[in-house]
């Protein structure tokens, strides 16, 4: 960029030029006035000399004494160092102080003479043809008593005399001009400095503000406008300082919050460059969170699944939750990642916010728990089967038991049967937990699946004279794991039968709408109190445990249903009213080969 001129050097030359022009103009004016005055004085002087001579010539003219007139001219010319010439109206010279009149040419063509012979004062500045030097001529007319012009009396002085007189004056004017010029130049410097210095001070202050020195203050100014400007600058800096401290405080608070979070927080822009990462995010990704600002995630995250997830969030600008297996060196971490788009104040997307939680330990504990339950259930299965076998044997007719012994054996059979059911349900649950979402799904006709489930509960329903009606379009096909959905249907239908009075009706309705399948099972049973609805799907949660036990319930049926639905990325809902009946609704989304979003399941 071209270097800019300083204000001082910008103003000073203009001031100097302006002052120089003014001084020179004044000097010329003064000089001219003096020259004019001098010329006028000289002119009056010459005129007076001519008039005085004219007075003395008048009587000589009466006598026609041309010789005396010429002598008078010579005498007076010598005395007064003036050249006198007497010219008759016909232009003939009859007297001259410096030349012989008889040798002089006719003077009627001389301008000043012409004017005098015309009755006016004649003036002319020119080189004398007779004397050959520059002269100032003044000619006056001499009238007779009748007012007729008798002659013109001309007096002249060399102009060099006037110039000689003017020379010292010119020198003085030039000297005065130079001195005044120097003084004016100095005054200009002082004035320009007085103008530029406060501006310089303010510009330096503004520079300091820009560099962050907001405690700096602009000094007081003598000029009103500049004082206003300096006050405004000071006010602005103190406001900036306040705003800055508020921002710093807020940022510190935000940093403190982000720092002490257990979750990793990562903000990325639309080009996948990191805007912010907290300590935990750094730990999860195995990087130093302080050194990665503005770095692309592709450079620091080596795990393809994690990069895909982040790219997807920035691209889709939608909420996205996923559990990722994150390979880091030799270890595999399980990260629960949740991403959403970042919006600025004008609602434009500026990137994405990823919140990460390391659930490796949690998942490990869950696995240990599931394995433990599965192992225990598995280990219990053999003794229970043995107990059930021996009880059945003991209850056969071969054995003669007392009445109370038979009653005890009946209780053992009933309780071991219950225990067996619980163990079966626990094994089913742990199998479901282990399978998670990795179940095999195929397109299946829903009507077929539901009919299979109905067959299983048919006997139970007919015992209570309960009818099961269906409203299922034949052609509906859905990609599901048929045995699991059948199991869920059996559990729901079995509950509907168990918790209904005899001769009631159960309706199964299947509707395909947009991208989801809805299966509704409605009964006219006992219904469920609103306060119990929230906990209905918890393991071993039973509303009326006495009634449930009597019906052979384990309290695990609905948990199994919920798990099955979740493995299909679906949701289960329940609506119920005590004494009226219940409706359980399973909603299954259309199956995608590689599910992207694991939606929150709601009950
Ligand atoms: P259980 O084996 O005891 O039936 P579930 O998990 O299947 O266990 O059900 C939990 C509880 O929910 C049951 O004890 C019962 O009180 C209630 N319940 C389930 N289905 C129904 C229904 N269709 N009508 C009324 N209550 C129900």
């Amino acid at each position: 960029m071209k270097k800019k001129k300083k204000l001082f050097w910008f103003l000073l030359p203009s001031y100097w030029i302006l002052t120089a022009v003014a001084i020179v103009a004044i000097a010329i004016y003064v000089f001219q006035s003096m020259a004019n005055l001098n010329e006028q004085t000289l002119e009056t002087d010459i005129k007076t000399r001519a008039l005085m001579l004219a007075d003395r010539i008048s009587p000589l003219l009466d006598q026609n004494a041309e010789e005396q007139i010429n002598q008078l001219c010579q005498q007076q010319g010598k005395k007064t160092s003036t050249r006198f010439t007497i010219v008759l109206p016909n232009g003939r010279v009859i007297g001259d102080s410096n030349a012989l009149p008889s040798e002089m040419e006719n003077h009627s063509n001389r301008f000043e003479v012409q004017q005098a012979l015309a009755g006016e004062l004649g003036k002319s500045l020119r080189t004398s043809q007779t004397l050959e030097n520059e002269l100032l001529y003044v000619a006056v007319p001499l009238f007779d008593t009748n007012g007729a012009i008798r002659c013109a009396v001309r007096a002249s002085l060399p102009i060099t005399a006037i110039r000689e007189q003017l020379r010292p004056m010119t020198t003085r004017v030039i000297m005065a001009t130079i001195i005044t010029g120097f003084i004016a130049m100095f005054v200009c410097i002082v004035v320009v400095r007085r103008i530029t210095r406060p501006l310089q001070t303010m510009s330096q202050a503004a520079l300091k503000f820009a560099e962050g020195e907001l405690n700096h203050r602009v000094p007081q100014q003598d000029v009103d406008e500049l004082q206003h400007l300096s006050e405004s600058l000071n006010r602005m800096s103190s406001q900036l300082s306040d705003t800055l401290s508020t921002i710093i405080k807020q940022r510190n608070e935000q940093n403190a919050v982000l720092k002490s979070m257990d979750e990793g927080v990562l903000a990325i822009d639309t080009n996948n460059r990191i805007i912010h990462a907290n300590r935990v995010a750094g730990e999860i990704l195995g990087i130093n969170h302080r050194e990665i600002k503005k770095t692309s995630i592709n450079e620091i995250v080596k795990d393809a699944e994690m990069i895909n997830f982040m790219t997807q969030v920035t691209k889709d600008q939608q909420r996205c939750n996923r559990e990722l297996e994150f390979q880091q060196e030799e270890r595999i971490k399980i990260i629960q990642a949740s991403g959403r788009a970042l919006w600025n104040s004008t609602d434009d997307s500026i990137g994405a916010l990823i919140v990460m939680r390391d659930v490796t330990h949690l998942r490990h504990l869950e696995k240990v728990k599931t394995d433990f339950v599965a192992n225990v259930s598995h280990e219990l299965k053999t003794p229970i089967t043995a107990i059930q076998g021996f009880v059945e044997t003991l209850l056969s007719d071969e054995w003669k038991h007392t009445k109370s012994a038979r009653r005890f054996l009946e209780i053992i059979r009933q309780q071991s049967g219950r225990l067996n059911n619980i163990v079966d349900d626990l094994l089913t649950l742990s199998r479901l937990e282990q399978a998670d979402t990795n179940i095999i799904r195929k397109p299946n006709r829903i009507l077929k699946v539901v009919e299979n489930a109905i067959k299983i509960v048919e006997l139970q329903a007919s015992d209570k004279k309960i009818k099961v009606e269906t409203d299922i379009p034949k052609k509906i096909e859905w990609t599901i794991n048929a045995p699991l959905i059948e199991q869920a249907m059996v559990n729901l239908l079995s509950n509907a039968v168990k918790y209904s009075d005899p001769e009631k009706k159960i309706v199964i309705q299947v509707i395909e709408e947009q991208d989801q399948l809805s299966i509704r099972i409605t009964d006219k049973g006992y219904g469920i109190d609103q306060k119990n609805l929230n906990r209905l799907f918890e393991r071993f949660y039973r509303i009326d445990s006495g009634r449930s036990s009597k019906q052979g319930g384990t309290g695990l049926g609905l948990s199994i249903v919920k798990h099955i639905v979740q493995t299909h990325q679906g949701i289960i809902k329940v609506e119920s009213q005590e004494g009226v009946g219940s409706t359980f609704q399973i909603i299954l989304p259309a199956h995608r080969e590689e599910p992207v979003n694991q939606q929150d399941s709601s009950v």
Side-chain angles (χ1 to χ4, degrees), residues 425 491-500 521 523 525-529 532 535-545 547-549 551-561 574 576 581-584:
D425 282 353
N491 286 9
L492 291 175
L493 282 171
S494 163
N495 279 353
V497 173
K498 276 195 285 185
Y499 304 112
S500 291
I521 297 150
D523 65 55
Y526 311 136
I528 305 155
D529 188 4
N532 289 312
R535 302 192 57 195
L536 209 59
F537 295 88
E538 286 176 17
R539 283 174 197 196
F540 297 109
Y541 188 77
R542 290 178 296 181
I543 298 163
D544 183 342
S545 53
R547 185 195 276 165
S548 165
S549 302
Q551 305 281 356
T554 60
L556 291 167
L558 288 179
S559 287
I560 292 171
V561 175
V574 59
S576 188
S582 318
T583 298
F584 285 84

Side-chain angles (χ1 to χ4, degrees), residues 368-384 419 422-424 426-427 430 434:
V368 168
K369 188 194 81 183
T370 312
D371 288 352
F372 174 75
V373 173
N375 289 338
V376 168
S377 308
H378 194 73
E379 291 302 320
L380 284 175
K381 195 78 186 147
T382 320
I384 290 168
L419 201 58
I422 292 173
V423 168
D424 279 347
L426 279 174
L427 279 170
S430 66
Q434 273 163 1

